[in-house]
Amino acid sequence: NLILSDETEEGSRSNVHHAREYPNAITFLQGLNPPVRFIATTATATQAARTAIKEKLKFGPTNSSLKFNPRESYSYELILPIYRENIEIQVLPRTSKQRNLQFLVAERHCKQTGRRLEPLPEGVGLTLIYVTKRDTARQIAKVLEQGGLKVGLYYKEGRSNAENAAAHQAFMDSTIDVLVATGQSFGEGIDHPELRHVILYCMPKSLEQLVQQIGRPGRDGKRARCTVFAAAQDFMEAGHTPNSRALLGQFLEATTTCRWHTLSRLCGE
């Protein structure tokens, strides 16, 4: 007698097609006899998104303090912290692909001999680079391959399913150094314990995407990194809203406070 809705944040967006069916689905579920319990989960959601989820799913009043009193409320909200103490976040200005990403080559090779280091230093390993355009992905792959790295590519438009499947398998098998992917096409369900570094070479289109992408490395609890490269032109791309620009801008401007603290505050924790 339990129904679970996963990735519920997607359904809270009014511009997502299947979200329009949520009210009908919830009305049907609430009419079942005997009654069923309903759980809605999502990896990341701002306060506004959580409110939208509760409205879409027709949840009643919630008690976020976890002091659940069935006489006062028939639903409650559990918010787990997004903070991951093993992930270091760094924000840098984006200049050129060669200049920004040369360190990925350097940290894998000996300065004196130029030979590849085996084993790799602590904290250096499988890297996932997110971009917003396929042309950018191809350009980055070319730069890194010229430096001697094994690079995979993953994006939807203009690339076959077989090619993406091969890149995904190489990523999961850790037979490549770097996977370059568009954020819209690669990520959900990714849980690779050996992923050490995530690079956001282009700013994502929402705070939720930013938090999810930042949280993907270091699932084994060992030291991991997330490097965010930012440029003003990112916010001129299609898909950004005034709200997303404001929230992401606050994250980038937090130069004197902990980035994790800023993300927690922006997410309404």
Side-chain angles (χ1 to χ4, degrees):
N1 296 329
L2 178 65
I3 293 186
L4 170 66
S5 170
D6 195 16
E7 299 293 349
T8 314
E9 194 272 335
E10 288 288 330
S12 70
R13 301 178 190 173
S14 58
N15 61 342
V16 177
H17 178 72
H18 62 261
R20 302 167 192 165
E21 300 300 322
Y22 266 65
N24 294 334
I26 297 306
T27 298
F28 170 78
L29 294 173
Q30 289 179 335
L32 293 177
N33 191 16
V36 297
R37 292 172 295 165
F38 198 91
I39 297 179
T41 62
T42 188
T44 52
T46 61
Q47 180 62 60
R50 295 199 298 271
T51 298
I53 288 171
K54 288 179 280 189
E55 291 177 349
K56 286 274 188 181
L57 302 186
K58 299 183 179 179
F59 282 0
T62 59
N63 185 341
S64 299
S65 68
L66 301 184
K67 296 177 181 179
F68 179 54
N69 186 342
R71 296 181 180 180
E72 298 176 357
S73 172
Y74 59 84
S75 67
Y76 67 98
E77 181 180 10
L78 173 63
I79 305 173
L80 299 178
I82 63 172
Y83 173 57
R84 301 267 304 283
E85 64 179 359
N86 63 314
I87 301 178
E88 174 188 349
I89 302 175
Q90 184 179 30
V91 177
L92 299 171
R94 190 173 72 242
T95 53
S96 71
K97 300 173 183 65
Q98 182 70 37
R99 182 176 300 175
N100 290 146
L101 300 175
Q102 183 58 35
F103 76 95
L104 292 174
V105 176
E107 66 187 7
R108 288 169 168 79
H109 293 82
C110 176
K111 292 181 179 179
Q112 286 74 31
T113 66
R115 293 180 179 177
R116 185 179 175 91
L117 298 171
E118 294 292 348
L120 293 173
E122 181 183 2
V124 177
L126 185 61
T127 298
L128 174 58
I129 301 179
Y130 280 116
V131 298
T132 56
K133 298 178 180 179
R134 59 179 179 174
D135 287 344
T136 307
R138 290 195 292 255
Q139 292 163 5
I140 288 176
K142 183 177 180 180
V143 168
L144 297 179
E145 286 172 344
Q146 289 174 344
L149 302 190
K150 296 179 181 178
V151 184
L153 278 169
Y154 193 106
Y155 52 84
K156 292 294 178 66
E157 187 177 351
R159 195 164 172 82
S160 70
N161 291 336
E163 288 175 314
N164 281 336
H168 179 268
Q169 193 60 52
F171 173 81
M172 296 306 296
D173 292 341
S174 300
T175 56
I176 55 177
D177 295 304
V178 179
L179 180 69
V180 189
T182 53
Q184 302 91 332
S185 66
F186 189 86
E188 287 188 9
I190 294 300
D191 188 7
H192 197 311
E194 297 178 13
L195 181 58
R196 300 262 62 85
H197 196 176
V198 167
I199 296 175
L200 280 59
Y201 195 73
C202 307
M203 287 299 294
K205 302 299 175 65
S206 70
L207 180 68
E208 290 88 346
Q209 286 184 12
L210 175 74
V211 173
Q212 288 195 15
Q213 292 174 4
I214 284 177
R216 292 213 162 100
R219 296 289 176 89
D220 56 2
K222 297 179 181 178
R223 178 189 166 215
R225 296 175 290 168
C226 178
T227 304
V228 181
F229 288 100
Q233 57 263 37
D234 287 347
F235 296 96
M236 305 307 294
E237 292 185 3
H240 279 287
T241 66
N243 185 57
S244 72
R245 293 187 185 98
L247 292 174
L248 293 171
Q250 289 183 59
F251 167 75
L252 294 176
E253 292 168 2
T255 57
T256 59
T257 58
C258 172
R259 300 284 183 185
W260 280 113
H261 182 275
T262 301
L263 284 176
S264 297
R265 176 178 58 80
L266 293 174
C267 288
E269 293 187 4

